[in-house]
Amino acid sequence: MTPQPGSAADVLTLISAGSATTRSDLARLTGLARSTISQRVDALIERGLVEETESGESTGGRPPRQLRLHTEEHAFAGVDLGATHCRVALMDLTGGLLAECEDPLEIGEGPDKVLAHVDQRLDRLLGEAGRPRAALRAIGIGVPGPVEFATGRPNNPPIMPGWNDYPVPEYFDGIQVLVDNDVNVMALGEHRNAFAGTSHLLFVKVGTGIGCGIVADGKLHRGAQGSAGDIGHIRVSGHDDAGCRCGNSACLEAVAGGAAIARRLAELGLAAETGADVVALVQAGNTQALRLVREAGRLIGEVLAGLVNFFNPEVIVIGGALSRVHEHLLAGVRETIYRRSLPLATHHLSITPSRTGINAAALGAGLLAIEHYLAPDNINRIVNA
């Protein structure tokens, strides 16, 4: 027989999921004695994790007291650090958004200056939300480069000079900090907010570079060293002359990323330096930009077709700067995937633009922090402290 859940963390999980709203519900679902349930619930209330209110409907006697997460004493931050922007979302224990802001910020200015800016913005947002600094329990940060997730240290990020091996969590003294690659937190934000019922999902970010976040069986898959999903450096046949920032040639992002498309448009005499310029040209109806974006979609689809056969996802989500012209990009992606992948793998496959848009990374980073804080080991540690 499968053992019944019994720890304070198990009780909290049932309450946070909405599966149990009263002590009677908890006793019925866990099989624990009412006295044991009372001990668990009282401990969670004492730690400020749960609150109990008299808001239930009476069935003839005293109205049952309702249990729910105590959101007022906790705050979590999700930080999206891009190459040229900083987006911060302040969230409560349920993932509800309390306050947010976005500023232009060059990641190349280095960790001390960038993280000082983040720290200042956290104080401002906490003030807007009416919560003290002590309410901030955990911070999630997404960065545009590879990260050793266990330590939170960036690992030779090509567009983050000065960040290599920097101990980001140590900057925020006394607060739990988790650092991950930006496309991983995008995948988490998209999955939890738009595809919670989907077990296997690929989130493909198409911006200056190209990356992929992997959700397998409902959980982020990072691989052994945290580099899973780095599809931007998969070789694309027929493009040996396309040099990549990684030192190799014919990498997917070197031929289909926003910077690569902008470079080709510039060679044609058009004013284009970034992926944003490519988007503007497409939105203006420039036929050369339309052609190159669709061609990029086909090349991305060539790589994704192999992933579809290998991983068999239910959903592929396209995000990043170029997803703003998704009707053209996705046309090329779909064309190649459905032509090159096995029919069984594509029978129920959905290929769609991001639903969370520019907020995916900040929301995902915040959820990363919340889920870490609510993890059973951490909750039991807090209760037993």
Side-chain angles (χ1 to χ4, degrees):
M1 174 182 285
T2 303
Q4 294 295 327
S7 70
D10 295 322
V11 169
L12 184 66
T13 297
L14 291 170
I15 295 171
S16 64
S19 302
T21 59
T22 67
R23 298 185 186 223
S24 295
D25 290 341
L26 290 168
R28 174 174 51 82
L29 290 171
T30 64
L32 296 174
R34 286 181 177 271
S35 58
T36 304
I37 290 296
S38 290
Q39 290 174 357
R40 303 288 188 266
V41 170
D42 290 345
L44 292 169
I45 292 173
E46 182 181 348
R47 298 300 187 206
L49 293 164
V50 168
E51 62 180 343
E52 195 169 27
T53 60
E54 292 185 0
S55 58
E57 295 183 4
S58 173
T59 57
R62 181 178 177 181
R65 294 173 65 83
Q66 300 287 292
L67 298 168
R68 66 177 184 179
L69 293 181
H70 189 186
T71 61
E72 287 76 11
E73 294 184 4
H74 302 79
F76 300 84
V79 181
D80 168 23
L81 294 178
T84 58
H85 75 266
C86 169
R87 186 176 294 111
V88 183
L90 191 69
M91 304 162 73
D92 66 22
L93 193 60
T94 67
L97 189 64
L98 299 173
E100 61 182 332
C101 68
E102 179 178 355
D103 304 300
L105 185 66
E106 297 286 339
I107 194 95
E109 293 183 355
D112 290 330
K113 188 169 183 178
V114 169
L115 295 177
H117 178 90
V118 170
D119 204 33
Q120 292 170 2
R121 287 296 179 262
L122 288 173
D123 282 336
R124 191 184 82 181
L125 293 178
L126 285 164
E128 290 178 9
R131 307 209 172 181
R133 180 77 178 202
L136 186 60
R137 308 296 182 182
I139 303 170
I141 302 177
V143 299
V147 176
E148 186 180 57
F149 181 71
T151 64
R153 294 171 180 253
N155 189 342
N156 291 313
I159 63 171
M160 298 173 64
W163 287 79
N164 183 47
D165 206 35
Y166 186 90
V168 178
E170 295 177 16
Y171 186 91
F172 301 91
D173 188 41
I175 302 175
Q176 292 180 317
V177 178
L178 297 98
V179 186
D180 208 341
N181 177 263
D182 58 356
V183 73
N184 281 344
V185 294
M186 285 179 175
L188 185 65
E190 188 77 23
H191 180 263
R192 300 298 192 261
N193 284 285
F195 296 96
T198 299
S199 295
H200 297 85
L201 175 146
L202 296 178
F203 184 98
V204 183
K205 177 192 173 186
V206 186
T208 299
I210 299 174
C212 180
I214 304 166
V215 175
D217 199 20
K219 301 175 182 177
L220 267 179
H221 174 73
R222 297 183 177 88
Q225 274 75 47
S227 64
D230 196 0
I231 66 171
H233 299 287
I234 293 178
R235 184 177 179 82
V236 179
S237 60
H239 294 272
D240 291 346
D241 58 338
C244 183
R245 60 186 178 180
C246 72
N248 292 320
S249 61
C251 292
L252 178 64
E253 75 171 41
V255 296
I261 299 172
R263 186 167 54 251
R264 292 180 64 185
L265 289 171
E267 291 170 355
L268 295 172
L270 296 169
E273 295 182 4
T274 66
D277 295 330
V278 175
V279 170
L281 286 168
V282 171
Q283 291 174 336
N286 183 279
T287 56
Q288 292 170 316
L290 287 167
R291 175 179 60 81
L292 289 180
V293 166
R294 184 152 187 158
E295 180 182 318
R298 294 191 189 100
L299 292 170
I300 295 168
E302 182 179 323
V303 169
L304 291 179
L307 299 183
V308 167
N309 287 337
F310 177 78
F311 181 62
N312 189 202
E314 300 160 76
V315 177
I316 296 176
V317 180
I318 306 296
L322 290 191
S323 68
R324 284 180 285 174
V325 288
H326 59 78
E327 61 270 25
H328 307 287
L329 185 68
L330 264 67
V333 170
R334 291 186 178 115
E335 176 186 332
T336 308
I337 286 180
Y338 288 120
R339 177 167 45 91
R340 297 286 299 272
S341 298
L342 296 172
L344 181 61
T346 59
H347 186 59
H348 295 293
L349 176 65
S350 173
I351 305 171
T352 180
S354 170
R355 297 180 186 174
T356 51
I358 62 173
N359 291 323
L363 293 177
L367 290 169
L368 181 69
I370 293 169
E371 291 184 5
H372 173 78
Y373 185 79
L374 292 177
D377 287 347
N378 193 53
I379 291 300
N380 287 331
R381 180 186 60 79
I382 291 171
V383 169
N384 295 326

